[in-house]
Amino acid sequence: GNSVTQMEGPVTLSEEAFLTINCTYTATGYPSLFWYVQYPGEGLQLLLKATKADDKGSNKGFEATYRKETTSFHLEKGSVQVSDSAVYFCALSDFLGTSYGKLTFGQGTILTVHP
Amino acid sequence: DADVTQTPRNRITKTGKRIMLECSQTKGHDRMYWYRQDPGLGLRLIYYSFDVKDINKGEISDGYSVSRQAQAKFSLSLESAIPNQTALYFCATSDPSDTQYFGPGTRLTVL
């Protein structure tokens, strides 16, 4: 079956530091890949996505590249801000078989950014 | 106004009580989902519906039931609540590209 593995957290950084959150996946087909962010007290919201190999998703200074050869979709940001403190979820959707129309989520990574 | 709304936002109940969580959406999507979130476990799918006549079990459906009253409404029920159902519950819709849109969540505590 499909699965998503994220680097274990929590991650604590100082403002303006470089961020990487690792995400690897296993899938039976050709999945689309997503990063969702959950700010304190809120629901998840889409941060970025990529639908095919070598695509780069980007939003709000965050980037992630769909790497089929390494089955990875690592999230990066060059300079984090305090307002980026949140929980980040990697997810995939697979259009094949019993996975059709459903997202598989990683366990989430808590990011805390200090001034 | 929010595209996906959930009521109530917080609920405290006792073991054995019947509870209904409601979800409404204004995005016009056919697909709707219910998840629960527990610390360190990410989101787990309870039920999902691809249209009004289509209801499917997710990975953790035991102890839950759902009703799709209309395209815009999808309710989750706990017939007899138990303490290990204490969690944060999210409703979501998705567009044809599988991008999902989440409600703000319902925090449920079962004593």
Side-chain angles (χ1 to χ4, degrees), chain B residues 24-97:
Chain B
S24 294
Q25 55 112 349
T26 59
K27 298 191 75 67
H29 294 158
D30 288 324
R31 299 179 188 175
M32 297 187 74
Y33 307 79
W34 275 104
Y35 295 92
R36 69 177 277 175
Q37 183 180 30
D38 299 278
L41 293 177
L43 275 76
R44 293 183 290 168
L45 184 63
I46 306 172
Y47 270 94
Y48 61 104
S49 170
F50 284 172
D51 64 41
V52 175
K53 297 181 180 179
D54 177 74
I55 304 288
N56 302 281
K57 293 182 178 180
E59 59 182 306
I60 55 162
S61 58
D62 287 348
Y64 302 94
S65 63
V66 291
S67 173
R68 184 80 185 267
Q69 300 95 325
Q71 186 201 41
K73 296 185 182 296
F74 192 36
S75 300
L76 176 72
S77 294
L78 288 68
E79 297 300 326
S80 180
I82 57 177
N84 75 1
Q85 292 178 312
T86 293
L88 194 53
Y89 290 85
F90 288 103
C91 175
T93 72
S94 74
D95 65 22
S97 75

Side-chain angles (χ1 to χ4, degrees), chain A residues 13-114:
Chain A
L13 296 173
S14 298
E15 207 165 25
E16 300 184 2
F18 184 85
L19 169 71
T20 299
I21 301 178
N22 291 337
C23 172
T24 58
Y25 68 90
T26 58
T28 53
Y30 301 93
S32 293
L33 301 173
F34 305 81
W35 276 101
Y36 282 84
V37 59
Q38 184 180 26
Y39 297 105
E42 299 182 11
L44 282 71
Q45 54 185 274
L46 179 68
L47 181 59
L48 54 83
K49 71 177 187 180
T51 58
K52 61 183 187 297
D54 299 325
D55 270 0
K56 178 184 285 187
S58 61
N59 186 26
K60 301 181 180 179
F62 291 90
E63 293 183 339
T65 301
Y66 188 164
R67 301 288 188 198
K68 191 170 186 294
E69 64 276 14
T70 55
T71 61
S72 65
F73 193 54
H74 304 321
L75 182 68
E76 296 182 336
K77 186 175 185 182
S79 177
V80 293
Q81 305 300 313
V82 172
S83 58
D84 294 326
S85 298
V87 184
Y88 292 81
F89 292 92
C90 186
L92 71 82
S93 68
D94 193 339
F95 294 94
L96 296 181
T98 58
S99 299
Y100 179 75
K102 296 185 287 185
L103 285 180
T104 300
F105 286 90
Q107 73 272 30
T109 301
I110 299 171
L111 170 65
T112 302
V113 180
H114 293 297

